[in-house]
Amino acid sequence: MEAKRNHTVLITAFCLLILFALAVVLQTLIPASSSWSMLLTVLQKGAVYALVAVSMNLLNGFTGLFSLGQAGFMLLGAYIYAVLTIPVADRAGVYQYYDGGLIQFSLPWPLALVLAGLGAAVIAYLIGLPVLRLRSDYLAIATLGFAEILRAICQWDKLGPITNGSNILRDYPRFSAMSAGSISLSTLAPVVIASICILFIVLLINSSYGRAFKAIREDEVAAEAMGINLFRHKQLAFCISSFFAGIGGAMYAMFSGSVQAALFRSSMTYELLLIVVIGGIGSVTGSVLASFLYIACSEWWLRGLDSGSFLGIEAPGIFRSGFRLVVFSVIIMIFVLFFRRGIMGNRELPDLFRRRPKSGKEASK
Protein backbone atom coordinates (compact mmCIF):
# COMPACT_ATOMS: atom_id res chain seq x y z
CA MET A 1 0.00 0.00 0.00
CA GLU A 2 2.85 2.39 0.88
CA ALA A 3 4.60 1.63 -2.42
CA LYS A 4 1.36 2.32 -4.29
CA ARG A 5 1.00 5.73 -2.62
CA ASN A 6 4.63 6.63 -3.37
CA HIS A 7 4.14 5.56 -6.99
CA THR A 8 1.06 7.80 -7.25
CA VAL A 9 2.88 10.83 -5.83
CA LEU A 10 5.92 10.32 -8.07
CA ILE A 11 3.84 10.09 -11.25
CA THR A 12 1.83 13.15 -10.20
CA ALA A 13 5.01 15.14 -9.55
CA PHE A 14 6.48 14.04 -12.89
CA CYS A 15 3.35 15.15 -14.77
CA LEU A 16 3.45 18.51 -12.99
CA LEU A 17 7.07 19.00 -14.06
CA ILE A 18 6.06 18.33 -17.66
CA LEU A 19 3.28 20.88 -17.29
CA PHE A 20 5.78 23.45 -15.96
CA ALA A 21 8.07 22.89 -18.92
CA LEU A 22 5.15 23.14 -21.34
CA ALA A 23 4.05 26.45 -19.82
CA VAL A 24 7.57 27.89 -20.14
CA VAL A 25 7.98 26.74 -23.76
CA LEU A 26 4.57 28.01 -24.87
CA GLN A 27 5.04 31.37 -23.11
CA THR A 28 8.38 31.77 -24.92
CA LEU A 29 7.32 30.61 -28.39
CA ILE A 30 3.81 32.09 -28.73
CA PRO A 31 3.73 35.87 -29.30
CA ALA A 32 0.92 37.94 -27.83
CA SER A 33 -0.35 38.87 -31.30
CA SER A 34 -0.65 35.24 -32.45
CA SER A 35 -4.00 33.52 -32.81
CA TRP A 36 -2.55 30.78 -30.59
CA SER A 37 -2.16 33.22 -27.70
CA MET A 38 -5.58 32.03 -26.54
CA LEU A 39 -3.85 28.79 -25.54
CA LEU A 40 -1.96 30.74 -22.87
CA THR A 41 -5.26 32.13 -21.55
CA VAL A 42 -6.64 28.59 -21.38
CA LEU A 43 -3.62 27.46 -19.37
CA GLN A 44 -3.93 30.41 -16.97
CA LYS A 45 -7.67 30.22 -16.34
CA GLY A 46 -7.66 26.42 -16.54
CA ALA A 47 -5.05 26.27 -13.75
CA VAL A 48 -7.29 28.43 -11.54
CA TYR A 49 -10.38 26.33 -12.21
CA ALA A 50 -8.40 23.09 -11.79
CA LEU A 51 -7.36 24.07 -8.26
CA VAL A 52 -10.88 25.07 -7.21
CA ALA A 53 -12.42 21.98 -8.85
CA VAL A 54 -9.97 19.68 -7.05
CA SER A 55 -10.72 21.44 -3.75
CA MET A 56 -14.44 20.92 -4.39
CA ASN A 57 -13.82 17.27 -5.27
CA LEU A 58 -11.97 16.82 -1.98
CA LEU A 59 -15.20 17.72 -0.20
CA ASN A 60 -17.88 16.35 -2.53
CA GLY A 61 -16.06 13.39 -4.06
CA PHE A 62 -13.69 12.11 -1.39
CA THR A 63 -15.58 13.04 1.80
CA GLY A 64 -19.13 12.74 0.49
CA LEU A 65 -20.29 16.19 1.64
CA PHE A 66 -22.53 17.93 -0.90
CA SER A 67 -21.48 21.58 -0.59
CA LEU A 68 -22.35 24.40 -2.98
CA GLY A 69 -20.50 27.25 -1.29
CA GLN A 70 -17.33 27.22 -3.37
CA ALA A 71 -18.04 30.53 -5.11
CA GLY A 72 -18.47 32.19 -1.72
CA PHE A 73 -15.04 31.07 -0.53
CA MET A 74 -13.54 32.15 -3.84
CA LEU A 75 -15.13 35.56 -3.32
CA LEU A 76 -13.58 35.78 0.16
CA GLY A 77 -10.14 34.88 -1.16
CA ALA A 78 -10.39 37.35 -4.04
CA TYR A 79 -11.44 40.23 -1.79
CA ILE A 80 -8.84 39.51 0.89
CA TYR A 81 -6.09 39.35 -1.71
CA ALA A 82 -7.16 42.51 -3.55
CA VAL A 83 -7.73 44.58 -0.39
CA LEU A 84 -4.33 43.65 1.07
CA THR A 85 -2.21 44.14 -2.06
CA ILE A 86 -3.47 47.40 -3.62
CA PRO A 87 -0.53 49.84 -3.41
CA VAL A 88 -1.06 52.68 -0.93
CA ALA A 89 -0.44 55.26 -3.66
CA ASP A 90 -3.31 53.82 -5.75
CA ARG A 91 -5.88 53.44 -2.98
CA ALA A 92 -7.23 56.98 -3.34
CA GLY A 93 -8.16 56.23 -6.96
CA VAL A 94 -9.66 52.82 -6.21
CA TYR A 95 -11.61 53.92 -3.11
CA GLN A 96 -12.59 57.27 -4.59
CA TYR A 97 -16.08 57.12 -3.06
CA TYR A 98 -14.78 56.20 0.42
CA ASP A 99 -11.98 58.72 1.04
CA GLY A 100 -9.18 56.36 0.08
CA GLY A 101 -10.45 53.39 2.11
CA LEU A 102 -9.83 52.22 5.64
CA ILE A 103 -6.74 50.05 5.09
CA GLN A 104 -3.62 52.08 4.36
CA PHE A 105 -0.93 49.44 3.93
CA SER A 106 0.04 46.90 1.29
CA LEU A 107 1.39 43.35 1.64
CA PRO A 108 3.52 41.28 -0.78
CA TRP A 109 1.35 39.17 -3.06
CA PRO A 110 2.63 35.73 -1.88
CA LEU A 111 1.74 36.58 1.74
CA ALA A 112 -1.65 37.96 0.69
CA LEU A 113 -2.28 34.77 -1.31
CA VAL A 114 -1.76 32.62 1.81
CA LEU A 115 -3.88 34.99 3.93
CA ALA A 116 -6.66 34.72 1.36
CA GLY A 117 -6.75 30.98 1.90
CA LEU A 118 -6.51 31.30 5.69
CA GLY A 119 -9.32 33.85 5.77
CA ALA A 120 -11.59 31.52 3.80
CA ALA A 121 -10.64 28.61 6.09
CA VAL A 122 -11.45 30.59 9.25
CA ILE A 123 -14.89 31.56 7.92
CA ALA A 124 -15.42 27.94 6.85
CA TYR A 125 -14.64 26.81 10.39
CA LEU A 126 -17.23 29.20 11.84
CA ILE A 127 -19.82 28.34 9.21
CA GLY A 128 -19.13 24.63 9.60
CA LEU A 129 -20.00 24.56 13.31
CA PRO A 130 -23.77 24.60 12.63
CA VAL A 131 -23.85 23.70 8.92
CA LEU A 132 -21.88 20.43 9.00
CA ARG A 133 -24.47 18.89 11.30
CA LEU A 134 -26.80 18.90 8.29
CA ARG A 135 -26.77 16.23 5.61
CA SER A 136 -27.25 15.85 1.87
CA ASP A 137 -29.50 18.46 0.25
CA TYR A 138 -29.84 20.49 3.45
CA LEU A 139 -26.07 21.01 3.57
CA ALA A 140 -26.06 22.05 -0.09
CA ILE A 141 -28.84 24.59 0.45
CA ALA A 142 -27.16 26.01 3.57
CA THR A 143 -23.77 26.46 1.88
CA LEU A 144 -25.37 27.94 -1.24
CA GLY A 145 -27.29 30.40 0.93
CA PHE A 146 -24.06 31.32 2.74
CA ALA A 147 -22.37 32.15 -0.58
CA GLU A 148 -25.24 34.40 -1.63
CA ILE A 149 -25.31 36.16 1.76
CA LEU A 150 -21.57 36.73 1.59
CA ARG A 151 -21.89 38.25 -1.88
CA ALA A 152 -24.54 40.68 -0.60
CA ILE A 153 -22.42 41.61 2.44
CA CYS A 154 -19.40 42.46 0.27
CA GLN A 155 -21.58 44.89 -1.71
CA TRP A 156 -22.99 46.47 1.47
CA ASP A 157 -22.31 50.18 1.43
CA LYS A 158 -21.41 50.24 5.15
CA LEU A 159 -18.39 48.04 4.39
CA GLY A 160 -17.40 50.23 1.45
CA PRO A 161 -14.22 51.56 3.13
CA ILE A 162 -12.92 47.97 3.07
CA THR A 163 -14.68 46.18 0.17
CA ASN A 164 -15.34 49.29 -1.97
CA GLY A 165 -19.06 48.46 -1.93
CA SER A 166 -20.47 47.56 -5.33
CA ASN A 167 -17.47 49.15 -7.08
CA ILE A 168 -14.58 47.12 -8.47
CA LEU A 169 -11.20 46.60 -6.85
CA ARG A 170 -8.23 46.99 -9.19
CA ASP A 171 -4.55 48.00 -9.46
CA TYR A 172 -3.29 45.03 -7.41
CA PRO A 173 -0.52 42.61 -8.58
CA ARG A 174 -1.70 40.44 -11.48
CA PHE A 175 -0.31 37.47 -13.39
CA SER A 176 0.07 39.53 -16.57
CA ALA A 177 2.56 41.84 -14.83
CA MET A 178 4.78 39.07 -13.44
CA SER A 179 8.15 38.56 -15.08
CA ALA A 180 11.72 37.47 -14.43
CA GLY A 181 13.88 39.88 -16.38
CA SER A 182 12.65 39.73 -19.98
CA ILE A 183 10.78 36.44 -19.45
CA SER A 184 7.05 36.72 -18.76
CA LEU A 185 5.69 34.55 -15.94
CA SER A 186 2.01 35.24 -16.64
CA THR A 187 1.41 31.60 -17.64
CA LEU A 188 3.98 29.83 -15.47
CA ALA A 189 2.96 31.53 -12.20
CA PRO A 190 -0.67 30.26 -12.06
CA VAL A 191 0.41 26.79 -13.23
CA VAL A 192 3.09 26.58 -10.51
CA ILE A 193 0.80 27.83 -7.72
CA ALA A 194 -2.07 25.54 -8.71
CA SER A 195 0.26 22.54 -9.12
CA ILE A 196 1.82 22.96 -5.68
CA CYS A 197 -1.63 23.18 -4.08
CA ILE A 198 -2.97 20.18 -6.03
CA LEU A 199 0.11 18.13 -5.08
CA PHE A 200 -0.59 18.93 -1.42
CA ILE A 201 -4.19 17.73 -1.85
CA VAL A 202 -2.94 14.51 -3.48
CA LEU A 203 -0.62 13.91 -0.51
CA LEU A 204 -3.54 14.56 1.87
CA ILE A 205 -5.82 12.12 0.04
CA ASN A 206 -3.15 9.42 0.22
CA SER A 207 -2.60 9.97 3.94
CA SER A 208 -4.47 8.52 6.93
CA TYR A 209 -6.74 11.57 6.88
CA GLY A 210 -7.63 10.89 3.27
CA ARG A 211 -8.53 7.30 4.12
CA ALA A 212 -10.74 8.61 6.93
CA PHE A 213 -12.47 10.97 4.47
CA LYS A 214 -13.17 8.06 2.12
CA ALA A 215 -14.49 5.94 4.98
CA ILE A 216 -16.96 8.69 5.89
CA ARG A 217 -18.04 8.88 2.25
CA GLU A 218 -18.68 5.15 2.05
CA ASP A 219 -20.52 4.63 5.36
CA GLU A 220 -20.68 7.11 8.24
CA VAL A 221 -21.97 4.54 10.72
CA ALA A 222 -19.14 2.09 9.94
CA ALA A 223 -16.57 4.91 10.00
CA GLU A 224 -17.74 6.03 13.43
CA ALA A 225 -17.66 2.44 14.66
CA MET A 226 -14.00 2.28 13.58
CA GLY A 227 -13.21 5.24 15.84
CA ILE A 228 -13.30 8.07 13.29
CA ASN A 229 -14.58 11.35 14.72
CA LEU A 230 -17.15 12.25 12.07
CA PHE A 231 -17.64 15.93 12.88
CA ARG A 232 -13.93 16.62 13.33
CA HIS A 233 -12.96 15.04 10.01
CA LYS A 234 -15.87 16.70 8.17
CA GLN A 235 -14.82 20.06 9.54
CA LEU A 236 -11.19 19.38 8.60
CA ALA A 237 -12.17 18.53 5.02
CA PHE A 238 -14.46 21.58 4.86
CA CYS A 239 -11.74 23.96 6.07
CA ILE A 240 -9.02 22.52 3.80
CA SER A 241 -11.33 22.66 0.79
CA SER A 242 -12.24 26.26 1.64
CA PHE A 243 -8.56 27.17 2.12
CA PHE A 244 -7.69 26.13 -1.42
CA ALA A 245 -10.90 27.67 -2.77
CA GLY A 246 -9.78 30.95 -1.18
CA ILE A 247 -6.40 30.66 -2.87
CA GLY A 248 -8.21 29.86 -6.12
CA GLY A 249 -10.32 33.00 -5.69
CA ALA A 250 -7.20 35.09 -5.19
CA MET A 251 -5.70 33.52 -8.33
CA TYR A 252 -8.91 34.30 -10.21
CA ALA A 253 -8.51 37.94 -9.16
CA MET A 254 -4.90 37.90 -10.35
CA PHE A 255 -6.03 36.47 -13.68
CA SER A 256 -9.01 38.77 -14.33
CA GLY A 257 -7.40 42.02 -13.13
CA SER A 258 -10.43 43.25 -11.17
CA VAL A 259 -12.67 42.03 -8.36
CA GLN A 260 -16.38 42.60 -7.98
CA ALA A 261 -18.82 40.56 -5.92
CA ALA A 262 -21.25 40.31 -8.84
CA LEU A 263 -18.79 37.99 -10.64
CA PHE A 264 -19.04 35.26 -7.99
CA ARG A 265 -22.60 34.15 -8.59
CA SER A 266 -24.03 30.74 -7.82
CA SER A 267 -23.57 29.88 -11.52
CA MET A 268 -19.81 29.77 -10.87
CA THR A 269 -20.36 27.02 -8.29
CA TYR A 270 -22.53 25.12 -10.80
CA GLU A 271 -19.73 25.39 -13.37
CA LEU A 272 -17.27 23.91 -10.89
CA LEU A 273 -19.70 21.14 -9.95
CA LEU A 274 -20.15 20.37 -13.64
CA ILE A 275 -16.38 20.13 -14.08
CA VAL A 276 -16.14 17.72 -11.13
CA VAL A 277 -18.92 15.52 -12.55
CA ILE A 278 -17.45 15.52 -16.08
CA GLY A 279 -13.98 14.68 -14.78
CA GLY A 280 -15.19 12.02 -12.36
CA ILE A 281 -16.32 12.35 -8.76
CA GLY A 282 -13.45 11.09 -6.65
CA SER A 283 -10.68 11.68 -9.23
CA VAL A 284 -8.15 14.49 -8.95
CA THR A 285 -6.85 13.74 -12.44
CA GLY A 286 -10.37 13.93 -13.86
CA SER A 287 -11.00 17.33 -12.25
CA VAL A 288 -7.78 18.74 -13.71
CA LEU A 289 -8.43 17.38 -17.22
CA ALA A 290 -12.07 18.49 -17.20
CA SER A 291 -11.07 22.00 -16.05
CA PHE A 292 -8.75 22.58 -19.00
CA LEU A 293 -11.21 21.00 -21.45
CA TYR A 294 -14.08 23.11 -20.10
CA ILE A 295 -12.12 26.36 -20.35
CA ALA A 296 -10.77 25.45 -23.80
CA CYS A 297 -14.28 24.75 -25.12
CA SER A 298 -16.00 27.74 -23.55
CA GLU A 299 -13.24 30.31 -24.10
CA TRP A 300 -11.50 29.18 -27.30
CA TRP A 301 -12.73 26.30 -29.48
CA LEU A 302 -16.41 27.26 -29.56
CA ARG A 303 -15.95 31.02 -29.34
CA GLY A 304 -16.25 31.43 -33.13
CA LEU A 305 -19.84 30.20 -33.04
CA ASP A 306 -20.92 33.53 -31.55
CA SER A 307 -19.28 35.49 -34.37
CA GLY A 308 -20.71 33.48 -37.29
CA SER A 309 -17.84 31.08 -38.06
CA PHE A 310 -16.54 27.73 -36.86
CA LEU A 311 -13.55 25.69 -38.09
CA GLY A 312 -13.28 27.91 -41.17
CA ILE A 313 -16.98 27.59 -42.01
CA GLU A 314 -18.79 30.91 -42.39
CA ALA A 315 -22.51 30.61 -41.63
CA PRO A 316 -23.82 33.86 -40.13
CA GLY A 317 -27.42 32.69 -40.54
CA ILE A 318 -26.82 29.62 -38.34
CA PHE A 319 -23.90 30.61 -36.13
CA ARG A 320 -24.95 33.65 -34.15
CA SER A 321 -24.56 35.13 -30.68
CA GLY A 322 -25.48 32.55 -28.05
CA PHE A 323 -25.14 29.53 -30.35
CA ARG A 324 -21.94 28.58 -28.54
CA LEU A 325 -23.92 27.85 -25.39
CA VAL A 326 -26.33 25.63 -27.34
CA VAL A 327 -23.51 23.49 -28.73
CA PHE A 328 -21.77 23.45 -25.36
CA SER A 329 -24.95 22.22 -23.69
CA VAL A 330 -25.26 19.39 -26.25
CA ILE A 331 -21.66 18.32 -25.56
CA ILE A 332 -22.37 18.27 -21.83
CA MET A 333 -25.50 16.15 -22.38
CA ILE A 334 -23.45 13.66 -24.41
CA PHE A 335 -20.95 13.37 -21.59
CA VAL A 336 -23.68 12.86 -19.01
CA LEU A 337 -25.42 10.19 -21.12
CA PHE A 338 -22.42 8.17 -22.30
CA PHE A 339 -19.82 8.87 -19.58
CA ARG A 340 -21.93 8.63 -16.45
CA ARG A 341 -18.91 8.21 -14.22
CA GLY A 342 -17.03 11.01 -15.94
CA ILE A 343 -13.83 10.93 -17.95
CA MET A 344 -11.78 9.17 -15.28
CA GLY A 345 -14.45 7.73 -12.98
CA ASN A 346 -12.67 7.29 -9.65
CA ARG A 347 -9.32 6.48 -11.27
CA GLU A 348 -6.17 8.57 -11.20
CA LEU A 349 -3.43 9.02 -13.78
CA PRO A 350 -1.13 6.31 -12.30
CA ASP A 351 -3.97 3.78 -12.66
CA LEU A 352 -3.70 4.09 -16.44
CA PHE A 353 -0.13 2.76 -16.32
CA ARG A 354 -0.89 -0.24 -14.16
CA ARG A 355 -1.65 -3.62 -15.64
CA ARG A 356 -5.11 -4.94 -15.02
CA PRO A 357 -5.07 -8.18 -13.04
CA LYS A 358 -5.86 -11.24 -15.14
CA SER A 359 -9.10 -13.08 -14.57
CA GLY A 360 -9.13 -16.75 -13.57
CA LYS A 361 -9.80 -17.94 -17.13
CA GLU A 362 -7.01 -15.77 -18.60
CA ALA A 363 -4.58 -16.96 -15.92
CA SER A 364 -5.36 -20.64 -16.64
CA LYS A 365 -4.53 -20.12 -20.31
Side-chain angles (χ1 to χ4, degrees):
M1 183 64 70
E2 186 67 28
K4 181 179 178 180
R5 288 199 297 269
N6 293 336
H7 182 65
T8 300
V9 173
L10 285 175
I11 291 183
T12 303
F14 178 71
C15 293
L16 293 179
L17 287 175
I18 294 177
L19 188 59
F20 295 161
L22 180 63
V24 173
V25 170
L26 292 177
Q27 184 72 64
T28 305
L29 297 180
I30 299 177
S33 58
S34 172
S35 59
W36 285 89
S37 61
M38 197 61 194
L39 178 58
L40 302 179
T41 302
V42 170
L43 286 175
Q44 294 168 15
K45 191 173 182 179
V48 176
Y49 268 63
L51 172 58
V52 183
V54 170
S55 72
M56 189 175 193
N57 208 348
L58 173 65
L59 195 61
N60 292 24
F62 289 96
T63 315
L65 299 177
F66 189 30
S67 171
L68 293 177
Q70 219 69 0
F73 295 115
M74 287 182 68
L75 181 148
L76 269 175
Y79 265 86
I80 291 173
Y81 173 82
V83 168
L84 294 180
T85 56
I86 297 175
V88 177
D90 297 331
R91 288 184 179 270
V94 175
Y95 291 90
Q96 55 182 326
Y97 301 108
Y98 298 98
D99 299 325
L102 182 63
I103 298 176
Q104 293 299 320
F105 62 87
S106 179
L107 298 178
W109 71 264
L111 177 59
L113 195 67
V114 175
L115 290 177
L118 290 175
V122 170
I123 298 299
Y125 176 82
L126 298 176
I127 295 296
L129 291 175
V131 165
L132 291 178
R133 302 185 188 280
L134 303 173
R135 294 189 179 186
S136 188
D137 299 341
Y138 299 102
L139 176 61
I141 293 171
T143 51
L144 181 62
F146 152 73
E148 291 300 310
I149 291 171
L150 190 62
R151 187 163 62 88
I153 290 175
C154 287
Q155 297 180 93
W156 188 27
D157 190 62
K158 297 294 184 180
L159 288 178
I162 299 176
T163 64
N164 209 19
S166 58
N167 306 300
I168 66 172
L169 294 172
R170 62 183 190 278
D171 296 338
Y172 50 78
R174 298 175 293 171
F175 288 133
S176 59
M178 294 183 179
S179 61
S182 59
I183 301 176
S184 174
L185 300 179
S186 60
T187 302
L188 183 62
V191 170
V192 169
I193 296 172
S195 298
I196 292 174
C197 294
I198 291 173
L199 182 59
F200 180 87
I201 294 175
V202 170
L203 291 171
L204 176 66
I205 291 172
N206 286 280
S207 69
S208 59
Y209 288 102
R211 292 193 292 274
F213 295 159
K214 294 175 184 177
I216 294 173
R217 176 193 64 189
E218 297 300 329
D219 192 326
E220 290 190 6
V221 176
E224 191 172 25
M226 293 170 61
I228 296 174
N229 188 320
L230 295 183
F231 182 78
R232 180 187 169 209
H233 282 83
K234 286 181 180 180
Q235 195 170 52
L236 181 63
F238 193 53
C239 290
I240 292 175
S241 174
S242 302
F243 173 81
F244 288 112
I247 291 180
M251 291 174 62
Y252 187 83
M254 297 171 76
F255 166 77
S256 62
S258 62
V259 173
Q260 192 173 23
L263 296 174
F264 298 89
R265 299 181 180 275
S266 56
S267 58
M268 179 177 285
T269 298
Y270 301 148
E271 282 184 337
L272 294 167
L273 182 61
L274 178 64
I275 289 172
V276 171
V277 172
I278 290 176
I281 297 177
S283 172
V284 173
T285 306
S287 294
V288 174
L289 290 176
S291 297
F292 285 104
L293 289 174
Y294 180 87
I295 297 301
C297 285
S298 60
E299 300 290 339
W300 186 18
W301 296 336
L302 302 180
R303 178 65 69 176
L305 293 173
D306 287 346
S307 59
S309 64
F310 181 65
L311 298 177
I313 302 173
E314 299 289 339
I318 300 176
F319 303 149
R320 61 183 67 185
S321 180
F323 194 73
R324 170 174 58 99
L325 297 178
V326 176
V327 176
F328 197 52
S329 300
V330 172
I331 294 174
I332 292 172
M333 290 174 62
I334 292 173
F335 264 100
V336 172
L337 290 174
F338 296 100
F339 299 91
R340 296 187 178 182
R341 298 188 63 192
I343 298 174
M344 296 293 294
N346 59 356
R347 297 175 300 169
E348 300 294 352
L349 186 62
D351 296 331
L352 303 179
F353 298 96
R354 296 193 183 102
R355 290 184 178 181
R356 295 180 60 184
K358 294 183 178 180
S359 62
K361 292 182 179 180
E362 292 176 344
S364 61
K365 292 179 181 179

